[in-house]
Amino acid sequence: MSENSDNNNSYWAANIRLVQICLVIWAIVSFGFGILLRPMLSGISVGGSDLGFWFAQQGSILVFLALIFFYAWRMNKLDAEHGVDEQ
Amino acid sequence: MDQFTINLLFVGASFALYIGIAIWARAGSTSEFYAAGRGVHPVVNGMATAADWMSAASFISMAGLIAFIGYDNSTYLMGWTGGYVLLALLLAPYLRKFGKYTVPEFIGDRFYSRTARMVAVICLIVASVTYVIGQMTGVGVAFGRFLEVSNTAGLLIGACVVFAYAVFGGMKGVTYTQVAQYVVLIMAYTIPAIFISLQLTGNPIPALGLFGDHAASGEPLLQKLDQIVRELGFNEYTAHHSDTLNMVLFTLSLMIGTAGLPHVIMRFFTVPKVADARWSAGWSLVFIALLYLTAPAVGAMARLNITEQFWPNGTSGEAVSVETIETDEKYLWMQTWQKTGLLGWEDKNGDGKIQYYNDANAEMQEKAAANGWEGNELTNFNRDILVLANPEIANLPSWVIGLVAAGGLAAALSTAAGLLLAISSAVSHDLLKGQLTPNMSEKSELLSARIAMAVAIAVATYLGLNPPGFAAQTVALAFGLAAASIFPALMMGIFSKRVNNTGAVVGMLVGLGVTIIYIFLHKGWFFIPDTNSFTDADPLLGTIQSTSFGAVGAVLNFASAIIVSRMTAEPPKHIQELVESVRVPRGAGAAVEGH
């Protein structure tokens, strides 16, 4: 029982770490690059505007997509490694 | 064949398809009615979620808001997609593992409290009904324009159609109907955008054309657009003008609200496995992104087209003449839309020309005085008409215009149907069966779900006749309410073992209560006009507008729930075990019926 709960705890800790990394990236591309850090990125031009504008209008959406698929792939692997996947 | 007949044909054919599917996939049992027997593939589920999610606000309203404001309204793009990250990482897999049908059911079980479940039902109904009002407004405008009937008649026709397939279909019918609706709406959105992108930039992919070169001038499209609007005294399209704090909070409210809206969360109960719930959120966003990556291109290109129509000889040349507007086929759209009252112009200085410029800009006032202009003569351009009028403005073939009509209606109707399903299950499953009459038979539960839907449609239609604002504004308020009430309770239910029944109830009541009061203070009590004490131009707290307050409400919800939980007893052992079991996928079975 305790072995099982140890396993579940380390599974959960690994999940939390992954969620934290993903959410940091999520915040950086949208609130960061798209809004607050845009003035710092204004030197990098992208098709008639700057990188911050691109992140606000398209870039952040593409990163969101990549994040969700990365998380799903990584978690499904983590499930199997910890033996908690659905059989 | 005239345009009216073509519109009618497209709208009629698409409706016949939806209703046909709803009848074919009629729900027989309670579990099919709510959750489609959990047999829906992640890709199919993702597509249905996308249709469910993209409403009149996304389809009809959003590109118009971006077109006339530019960069500052990127908030809609980031906010309405970023929520899916929260949903996929923080909620969807755990709620699927929990294995019940409705959001209040999870809250009631996790917080071992009937009160918590009832409060969740109230939060759900308040947010969903506000959302449906916005949809019904959109339905009324779209039907009114394309069937050439009054707004009221359009709304009533729309209500009947929603009733037909939501009431008789249930989730199973709605899921397959929504797949069809997704296909119709995404074609309706992207086909005209591809045409316009080819015309302006030569690039067949609108999302890339936006950052490409303007074919006529050889300059980058966005640079050209910035220059033209600047010359007319408007804010530069790509520049930042709005308040940064409000922009951040508004984006955050839309994101959290996305992950707190019951009709979207419910979708993740219908996938076969926990792993599928994770993929399903990704697939939803793939299908949503097809529209959301196109929307900023639609906005920018439409703004350029419209401005050039009013200044056919460039901004320093002669403005378009009234005679041209009244006789030239290229300007026919202005006459059609003038009839709806959503577009208007007036030759104020009587020079036979229509000067469109920003008359609040000091430099332009000097220029106007020198040229004998007496103010902006494009007196009314409702932003909500932009997407629907766009193919007409760009002179696209009439079948494209018919397709856009069908797409706009698909967007509004699919979302309304999904929300009505969430409301009806909250009433029949959570309120009646869970609380008032626990021994209800499956048959009478289904009947009461259908009656609840009918009542909700009637209420939303009635309020849709006198809405609190434009479709998109009403929808943004619904997001704020969901963000402040439902999302924090769900998240704490999964990620904290310490938050208890009292904490959750207090948190939800504080979040919902404070947010709704803040909204009523700015929008009027129960949305009755002229009962507001503040306006969003000069809000109560700093620069925080009522549409952005959901994020603040969510923080208050989290804080009060955690503080109250710390002061009261920790949850019993079996609840802590429940949380542990929700966190691991193994053992996720089929639906658990009842209690």
Side-chain angles (χ1 to χ4, degrees):
Chain A
M1 184 63 203
S2 82
E3 208 175 286
N4 186 20
S5 87
D6 277 353
N7 179 43
N8 283 0
N9 285 343
S10 71
Y11 166 77
W12 187 246
N15 176 31
I16 295 287
R17 259 198 314 280
L18 190 60
V19 167
Q20 282 169 343
I21 294 168
C22 290
L23 287 184
V24 167
I25 299 171
W26 166 81
I28 288 177
V29 295
S30 52
F31 301 108
F33 295 164
I35 304 176
L36 299 169
L37 303 176
R38 189 182 169 200
M40 289 168 63
L41 300 172
S42 60
I44 308 167
S45 70
V46 176
S49 187
D50 55 80
L51 191 62
F53 180 83
W54 180 77
F55 264 107
Q57 299 237 312
Q58 292 182 346
S60 52
I61 299 175
L62 295 172
V63 177
F64 295 156
L65 267 177
L67 278 177
I68 296 179
F69 279 104
F70 169 73
Y71 178 78
W73 168 75
R74 195 71 196 85
M75 277 311 285
N76 292 344
K77 237 174 78 169
L78 212 61
D79 289 352
E81 279 167 20
H82 287 78
V84 293
D85 54 332
E86 298 148 286
Q87 287 146 324
Chain B
M1 223 189 306
D2 65 350
Q3 188 62 50
F4 177 70
T5 319
I6 293 171
N7 291 344
L8 213 58
L9 217 64
F10 269 86
V11 173
S14 61
F15 278 15
L17 179 69
Y18 310 147
I19 294 171
I21 292 172
I23 292 170
W24 167 71
R26 260 183 69 132
S29 68
T30 342
S31 90
E32 277 186 352
F33 190 84
Y34 294 133
R38 294 213 156 86
V40 182
H41 189 273
V43 178
V44 176
N45 192 51
M47 209 181 264
T49 311
D52 213 339
W53 167 246
M54 289 189 290
S55 65
S58 294
F59 189 99
I60 299 175
S61 225
M62 189 175 65
L65 291 170
I66 297 169
F68 286 95
I69 302 290
Y71 165 79
D72 290 339
N73 273 348
S74 307
T75 45
Y76 290 99
L77 297 167
M78 292 186 284
W80 279 340
T81 53
Y84 276 85
V85 177
L86 300 179
L87 200 55
L89 272 55
L90 304 177
L91 300 183
Y94 313 110
L95 294 178
R96 170 61 194 89
K97 170 66 195 294
F98 177 69
K100 293 281 176 72
Y101 295 129
T102 68
V103 170
E105 227 171 355
F106 174 79
I107 292 179
D109 284 8
R110 163 60 184 86
F111 297 109
Y112 48 99
S113 153
R114 289 191 161 198
T115 317
R117 187 169 174 177
M118 287 311 106
V119 172
V121 169
I122 293 166
C123 296
L124 186 155
I125 292 175
V126 169
S128 303
V129 169
T130 312
Y131 202 155
V132 181
I133 299 168
Q135 296 311 310
M136 294 316 261
T137 316
V139 169
V141 172
F143 266 105
R145 164 66 186 85
F146 288 109
L147 300 181
E148 293 178 15
V149 293
S150 73
N151 188 13
T152 311
L155 190 54
L156 295 177
I157 296 170
C160 294
V161 176
V162 175
F163 184 82
Y165 68 73
V167 169
F168 296 112
M171 189 62 131
K172 194 175 176 201
V174 171
T175 299
Y176 291 107
T177 311
Q178 286 179 335
V179 170
Q181 282 166 334
Y182 176 78
V183 174
V184 171
L185 88 83
I186 200 69
M187 286 191 343
Y189 204 84
T190 48
I191 288 174
I194 290 169
F195 270 108
I196 294 168
S197 179
L198 279 170
Q199 283 174 356
L200 285 178
T201 67
N203 194 324
I205 301 169
L208 300 177
L210 175 64
F211 291 93
D213 286 343
H214 181 226
S217 65
E219 291 172 53
L221 182 89
L222 287 167
Q223 214 168 302
K224 177 80 188 162
L225 181 57
D226 271 348
Q227 179 207 330
I228 287 185
V229 296
R230 190 175 54 228
E231 283 167 2
L232 296 173
F234 294 103
N235 281 337
E236 273 188 19
Y237 189 83
T238 61
H240 184 174
H241 302 280
S242 68
D243 180 72
T244 307
L245 173 68
N246 189 60
M247 195 174 168
V248 168
L249 287 178
F250 183 60
T251 307
L252 192 58
S253 291
L254 296 183
M255 285 175 172
I256 304 176
T258 299
L261 279 170
H263 72 295
V264 177
I265 300 172
M266 263 177 94
R267 284 279 164 205
F268 297 95
F269 296 127
T270 63
V271 291
K273 296 195 304 179
V274 173
D276 292 337
R278 297 180 186 131
W279 291 122
S280 197
W283 283 112
S284 309
L285 191 55
V286 167
F287 294 117
I288 291 166
L290 285 177
L291 188 144
Y292 272 68
L293 292 172
T294 308
V298 170
M301 290 173 188
R303 180 80 181 272
L304 194 62
N305 270 340
I306 291 164
T307 314
E308 285 185 337
Q309 278 217 323
F310 283 96
W311 297 96
N313 311 304
T315 46
S316 46
E318 288 283 321
V320 67
S321 73
V322 178
E323 199 197 329
T324 311
I325 292 176
E326 281 167 1
T327 54
D328 193 331
E329 224 175 49
K330 268 169 68 185
Y331 292 83
L332 197 63
W333 67 275
M334 289 186 61
Q335 303 213 39
T336 5
W337 282 96
Q338 190 191 29
K339 286 182 204 145
T340 63
L342 301 173
L343 181 74
W345 63 91
E346 188 195 342
D347 185 12
K348 290 177 185 165
N349 60 352
D351 66 351
K353 297 196 164 42
I354 297 299
Q355 283 96 16
Y356 163 54
Y357 66 100
N358 182 9
D359 54 13
N361 179 299
E363 265 178 54
M364 288 310 288
Q365 284 166 353
E366 278 175 35
K367 188 175 173 185
N371 290 325
W373 301 345
E374 287 166 17
N376 178 20
E377 295 178 343
L378 179 62
T379 47
N380 179 18
F381 196 118
N382 185 304
R383 284 157 194 187
D384 284 357
I385 74 172
L386 185 121
V387 169
L388 297 177
N390 203 20
E392 301 170 71
I393 298 170
N395 273 307
L396 299 185
S398 43
W399 65 268
V400 179
I401 300 169
L403 184 62
V404 171
L409 292 171
L413 293 175
S414 60
T415 306
L419 285 160
L420 288 167
L421 192 75
I423 295 170
S424 75
S425 62
V427 170
S428 65
H429 197 70
D430 295 304
L431 192 66
L432 294 179
K433 188 161 188 169
Q435 186 79 12
L436 302 175
T437 52
N439 299 324
M440 195 178 209
S441 72
E442 191 173 289
K443 206 173 163 194
S444 44
E445 190 187 342
L446 265 182
L447 180 68
S448 65
R450 287 172 175 154
I451 292 171
M453 267 191 188
V455 172
I457 291 173
V459 171
T461 307
Y462 175 74
L463 292 170
L465 293 170
N466 294 297
F470 294 120
Q473 288 176 317
T474 315
V475 166
L477 295 175
F479 277 77
L481 291 167
S485 58
I486 296 170
F487 176 81
L490 291 176
M491 193 184 156
M492 287 184 291
I494 297 160
F495 286 84
S496 163
K497 282 190 243 175
R498 185 64 186 82
V499 173
N500 62 17
N501 50 357
T502 328
V505 170
V506 170
M508 283 189 285
L509 289 175
V510 167
L512 181 72
V514 174
T515 308
I516 209 164
I517 289 171
Y518 198 82
I519 288 172
F520 283 161
L521 281 173
H522 291 75
K523 298 283 181 197
W525 291 89
F526 301 96
F527 302 127
I528 297 164
D530 302 321
T531 56
N532 56 319
S533 321
F534 300 91
T535 62
D536 277 333
D538 186 19
L540 171 62
L541 294 175
T543 54
I544 304 170
Q545 298 177 353
S546 60
T547 42
S548 311
F549 196 79
V552 180
V555 171
L556 295 175
N557 183 336
F558 276 117
S560 52
I562 290 167
I563 292 168
V564 170
S565 297
R566 291 214 179 263
M567 297 189 309
T568 45
E570 70 172 26
K573 189 125 182 55
H574 72 277
I575 294 299
Q576 301 197 23
E577 279 164 8
L578 172 75
V579 177
E580 299 251 333
S581 96
V582 163
R583 290 175 177 183
V584 292
R586 177 156 296 179
V592 185
E593 176 62 47
H595 301 272

